[in-house]
């Protein structure tokens, strides 16, 4: 016990732990938004969209530009927060209709090559439009400072994320479990052919799902923009994390994404306290263990 | 005029020629049975009609409107209901949700199915067990309950014609008996049906007309009464 407290002095520091838990929750929430979209798209279309992180990045850049062009400082952040994800959703829709639609029946390798190609194309376009320098998105005035929680400073912007997250999670749950569209989506994850034979236009449903998933990535990117340097490497970082979350939680599982995103968020938050370099290793170690014990993820379904 | 007409249809799976010049027709209100041994092409015939296994050539028309070449969802919207042989309820959806996803939300085109005959409530009267299971996941139902659910689900689209692929397969005798009685009530309601079966007893009272398939073509057709009276036909095409 003494050894532990000497190695990890913070372990007896209750307030610090509480703050760490909260910041882990906020990180987990960003991860949830991104991974649930990716998982949804995979569940229905069976495409692993590697460009999902690029959508997140594009949304952050949209935030940069939208806030720049809007004169009204007080409201600009909030308007941009609404518009940026919509812009990304439209982008996703265009990509689905023009490109992805053609490859649903192809070899999964082809699909990976296409979505990987999209990463490069989108990355290059972002470089051309916004240039190589890092950008930043200012936090809205009301949330620019920090508040004290158990005597510890905590950035008030994260309170927004923490407040919004349960709303988003509940909203998604309602969409999936209480609307007819959600029923169609869940039915499509198990048997598209049957759904089509019942008169449902499945290819239109695919487009809608892709647009919705892209919107979620956009929402994650827009919300995360003020907490990070908006930079070209964002897409890869977030893709890796989202991928880990989706694999741990189970591809196509809504609850799985939520639980595993929060788990990974906390892990990163505490990993930094314990031993920064270890946290990423720990992440992959957990993913490996899950893959060995339950290859289909915590709450996923085994493939037939 | 026939409600559904299949004329000179050829269907392939890859290079294998499965349906070879198959023709049949179904009149309004009629129950037509497709019989034949394993592999005769009964399921493929239904799949060709609904567009799951689209024919390479030939015509398939519903009230004169061409169906061949349309995607399955369009065929369903035009009024063809299909219950596949492997049942395929959505296991992760409740009974109510299974019905709800199949509810007709498109404008009806032609035919007298224009009135919404089948609603969840009406179907629960026909299959009372489903009402009890309303909140249960499809995957937790017994085989017989799943078969009733798939039939009810397809009827939610208010089709003009119902295609049923071996509805009695793999069910316990008591359940088969119950299903036969329920299909009898569907027939009495005026619903046009096409049934494939191996079990002649199951369809002998239900069916009006019989087609016997062998190697993907029609080898015999006649009324149910003629067919039942003709021992040699049964010997030639159905006995194993
Ligand atoms: N997906 C497929 N690919 C290739 N061949 C197939 C496929 N499905 C069926 N066949 C072949 O097509 C032929 C007709 O099959 P079909 O399923 O239509 O027969 P069936 O009359 O329904 O038989 P059963 O009574 O066993 O259901 C069979 O020889 C079968 O092996
Ligand atoms: Mg069959």
């Amino acid at each position: 016990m003494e050894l532990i407290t000497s190695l990890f002095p913070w372990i007896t520091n209750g307030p610090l732990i509480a703050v760490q838990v909260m910041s882990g929750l906020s990180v987990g929430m960003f991860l949830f938004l991104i991974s649930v979209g990716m998982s949804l798209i995979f569940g229905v279309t069976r495409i692993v969209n590697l460009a999902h992180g690029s959508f997140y990045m594009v949304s952050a850049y949209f935030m940069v530009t939208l806030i720049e062009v809007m004169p009204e400082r007080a409201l600009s952040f909030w308007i941009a927060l609404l518009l940026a994800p919509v812009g990304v959703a439209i982008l996703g829709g265009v990509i689905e209709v023009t490109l992805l639609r053609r490859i649903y029946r192809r070899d999964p390798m082809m699909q990976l090559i296409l979505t990987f190609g999209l990463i490069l194309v989108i990355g290059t376009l972002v470089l051309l439009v916004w240039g190589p320098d890092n950008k930043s998105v200012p936090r809205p005035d009301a949330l620019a400072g920090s508040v004290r929680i158990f005597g510890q400073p905590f950035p008030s912007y994260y309170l927004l994320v923490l407040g919004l997250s349960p709303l988003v999670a509940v909203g998604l749950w309602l969409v999936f479990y209480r609307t007819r569209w959600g029923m169609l989506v869940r039915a499509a994850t198990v048997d598209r052919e049957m759904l089509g034979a019942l008169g449902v236009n499945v290819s239109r449903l695919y487009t809608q799902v892709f647009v919705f998933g892209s919107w979620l990535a956009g929402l994650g990117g827009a919300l995360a923009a003020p907490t990070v340097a908006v930079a070209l490497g964002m897409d890869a970082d977030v893709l890796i994390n989202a991928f880990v979350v989706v694999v741990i939680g189970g591809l196509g599982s809504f609850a799985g994404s939520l639980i595993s995103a929060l788990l990974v968020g906390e892990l990163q938050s505490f990993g930094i306290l314990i031993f920064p370099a270890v946290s990423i290793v720990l992440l992959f170690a957990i993913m490996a263990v899950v893959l060995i014990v339950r290859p289909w993820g915590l709450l996923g379904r085994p493939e037939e | 005029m026939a409600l559904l007409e299949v004329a000179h249809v050829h269907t392939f799976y890859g290079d294998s020629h499965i349906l070879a010049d198959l023709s049949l027709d179904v009149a309004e209100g009629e129950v037509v049975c497709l019989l034949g041994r394993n592999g005769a092409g009964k399921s493929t015939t239904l799949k060709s009609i609904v567009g799951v296994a689209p024919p390479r050539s030939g015509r398939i028309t519903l009230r004169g409107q061409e169906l061949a070449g349309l995607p399955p969802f369009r065929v369903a919207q035009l009024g063809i209901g299909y219950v596949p042989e492997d049942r395929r309820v959505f296991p992760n959806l409740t009974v109510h949700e299974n019905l709800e996803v199949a509810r007709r939300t498109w404008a009806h085109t032609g035919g007298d199915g224009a009135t919404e005959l089948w609603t969840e409530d009406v179907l629960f009267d026909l299959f009372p067990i489903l009402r009890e299971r309303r909140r249960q996941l499809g995957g937790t139902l017994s085989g017989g309950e799943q078969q009733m659910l798939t039939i009810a689900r397809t009827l939610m689209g208010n089709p003009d014609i119902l295609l049923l692929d071996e509805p009695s397969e793999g069910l316990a005798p008591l359940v088969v008996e119950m299903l036969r009685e329920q299909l009898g009530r569907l027939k009495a309601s005026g619903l046009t049906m096409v049934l494939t079966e191996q079990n002649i007893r199951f369809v002998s009272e239900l069916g009006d007309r019989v087609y016997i398939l062998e190697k993907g073509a029609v080898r015999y057709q006649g009324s149910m009464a003629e067919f039942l009276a003709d021992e040699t036909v049964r010997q030639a095409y159905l006995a194993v």
Side-chain angles (χ1 to χ4, degrees):
Chain A
M1 191 64 208
E2 265 155 48
L3 179 71
I4 293 175
T5 45
S6 68
L7 273 178
F8 308 119
W10 50 267
I11 209 140
T12 52
N13 185 345
L16 179 65
I17 290 182
V19 166
Q20 234 27 59
V21 167
M22 285 174 67
S23 87
L25 278 178
S26 343
V27 172
M29 208 47 218
F30 291 134
L31 287 176
F32 170 65
L33 284 176
I34 299 146
S35 54
V36 77
M38 188 166 173
S39 169
L40 168 71
I41 288 171
F42 173 81
V44 173
T45 68
R46 298 286 135 171
I47 285 200
V48 175
N49 178 24
L50 296 178
H52 205 69
S54 308
F55 292 171
Y56 166 91
M57 174 175 74
V58 167
S59 188
Y61 276 99
F62 279 174
M63 288 294 282
V64 170
T65 299
L66 284 167
I67 289 176
E68 257 171 31
V69 299
M70 271 185 284
E72 183 51 55
R73 197 54 190 92
L75 278 181
S76 58
F77 174 83
W78 303 105
I79 297 173
L81 187 61
L82 285 179
L83 292 183
V86 173
V88 173
I90 294 171
L91 176 72
V94 171
I95 288 175
E96 200 275 344
V97 171
T98 56
L99 296 172
L100 293 179
R101 177 166 288 190
R102 298 163 198 276
I103 57 153
Y104 288 133
R105 281 168 225 280
R106 296 283 180 78
D107 176 1
M109 199 58 215
M110 294 285 292
Q111 303 173 344
L112 288 180
I113 290 172
L114 179 75
T115 62
F116 185 73
L118 282 172
I119 295 185
L120 303 179
V121 172
I122 294 174
T124 309
L125 289 176
V126 167
L127 176 66
L128 287 176
V129 175
W130 283 280
D133 299 333
N134 289 1
K135 311 272 178 196
S136 68
V137 170
R139 296 177 186 184
D141 293 339
L143 300 173
S146 62
V147 290
R148 294 216 156 251
I149 289 179
F150 305 115
Q152 298 275 336
F154 187 77
S156 39
Y157 182 77
Y158 282 90
L159 290 179
L160 168 73
V161 178
L162 286 176
L164 223 50
S165 21
L167 290 183
V168 171
V170 169
L172 283 175
W173 186 86
L174 288 174
V175 167
F176 290 135
Y177 291 95
R178 285 293 176 267
T179 69
R180 184 161 187 275
W181 189 77
M183 288 175 203
L184 294 177
V185 167
R186 283 181 291 131
T189 61
V190 294
D191 196 343
R192 278 140 284 189
E193 193 184 74
M194 191 64 234
L195 196 59
L198 292 169
V200 175
N201 184 346
V202 177
S203 90
R204 194 171 66 196
L205 185 68
Y206 277 28
T207 308
Q208 292 165 349
V209 162
F210 201 81
V211 165
F212 188 59
S214 307
W215 179 81
L216 287 169
L219 185 61
L223 268 178
T227 70
V228 294
V230 178
L232 281 167
M234 280 175 87
D235 52 352
D237 294 345
V238 81
L239 178 69
I240 291 168
N241 283 329
F243 204 75
V244 172
V245 167
V246 166
V247 168
I248 293 178
L251 270 168
S253 162
F254 170 75
S257 289
L258 181 60
I259 292 169
S260 105
L262 295 180
L263 193 77
V264 171
E266 293 299 343
L267 197 74
Q268 292 195 337
S269 175
F270 281 91
I272 283 169
L273 280 187
I274 298 169
F275 203 52
V278 159
S279 82
I280 189 87
V281 176
L282 204 57
L283 201 62
F284 285 107
I286 289 184
M287 179 166 103
V289 170
V290 168
L291 279 180
I292 291 164
V293 181
R294 281 179 71 88
W296 50 88
L298 293 177
L299 296 180
R301 259 192 317 270
E303 290 277 321
E304 279 96 49
Chain B
M1 188 183 76
L3 176 65
L4 176 72
E5 219 171 329
V6 175
H8 308 294
V9 157
H10 292 264
T11 300
F12 292 74
Y13 285 122
D15 284 336
S16 22
H17 198 163
I18 306 296
L19 299 187
D21 201 38
L22 183 131
S23 300
L24 56 86
D25 51 78
V26 183
E28 187 106 41
E30 201 180 26
V31 175
V32 166
C33 304
L34 304 185
L35 306 178
R37 295 194 181 98
N38 282 327
K42 306 180 295 291
S43 300
T44 308
T45 303
L46 300 189
K47 287 178 187 167
S48 289
I49 296 171
V50 298
V52 173
R56 195 172 286 180
S57 65
R59 287 170 54 78
I60 299 173
T61 54
L62 181 72
R63 290 201 181 80
Q65 171 160 16
E66 184 65 55
L67 300 179
L70 296 178
F73 86 91
R74 282 293 302 148
V75 174
Q77 294 188 348
L78 287 171
I80 301 222
Y82 170 53
V83 179
E85 64 191 322
D86 32 11
R87 302 203 183 111
R88 291 160 75 171
V89 302
F90 299 112
N92 56 334
L93 267 58
T94 64
V95 166
H96 163 72
E97 289 172 335
N98 265 277
L99 296 174
E100 184 59 22
V101 294
R103 183 165 53 82
R104 185 165 84 199
T105 51
W106 54 90
H108 192 264
T109 48
D112 39 52
T115 52
E116 303 261 325
L117 193 55
W118 303 108
T119 60
E120 185 172 296
D121 246 7
V122 173
L123 288 164
F124 282 166
D125 290 342
L126 183 65
F127 304 108
I129 188 75
L130 296 182
R131 180 176 275 130
E132 286 169 40
R133 303 268 185 269
R134 190 168 183 272
R135 297 263 157 238
Q136 232 168 288
L137 291 182
T140 67
L141 302 185
S142 71
E145 290 163 356
Q146 292 197 6
Q147 185 59 275
M148 290 170 203
L149 178 56
T150 43
I151 295 171
R153 183 177 65 181
T154 300
L155 288 173
M156 286 295 284
N158 281 278
D160 298 331
I161 179 166
L162 185 64
L163 313 182
L164 289 158
D165 202 351
E166 295 203 39
S168 76
E169 193 191 9
L171 300 181
L174 227 63
V175 182
V176 170
E177 209 37 56
M178 186 153 74
L179 191 66
R180 191 161 71 140
E181 189 254 331
Q182 285 155 339
L183 292 181
R185 281 164 53 194
L186 284 180
K187 178 185 175 170
S189 81
L191 187 67
T192 313
M193 289 190 268
V194 177
L195 295 175
T196 78
E197 261 306 335
Q198 304 254 11
N199 178 352
I200 295 172
R201 260 180 42 77
F202 185 75
V203 291
S204 58
E205 281 170 40
L206 211 55
D208 298 315
R209 256 172 352 104
V210 173
Y211 286 92
I212 297 180
L213 308 191
E214 193 183 58
K215 299 204 176 91
V218 173
R219 288 299 142 92
Y220 170 90
Q221 58 173 306
S223 72
M224 182 59 82
E226 283 164 9
F227 164 72
L228 290 174
D230 194 340
E231 185 65 29
T232 55
V233 172
R234 241 178 306 165
Q235 284 299 326
Y237 297 113
L238 300 175
V240 193

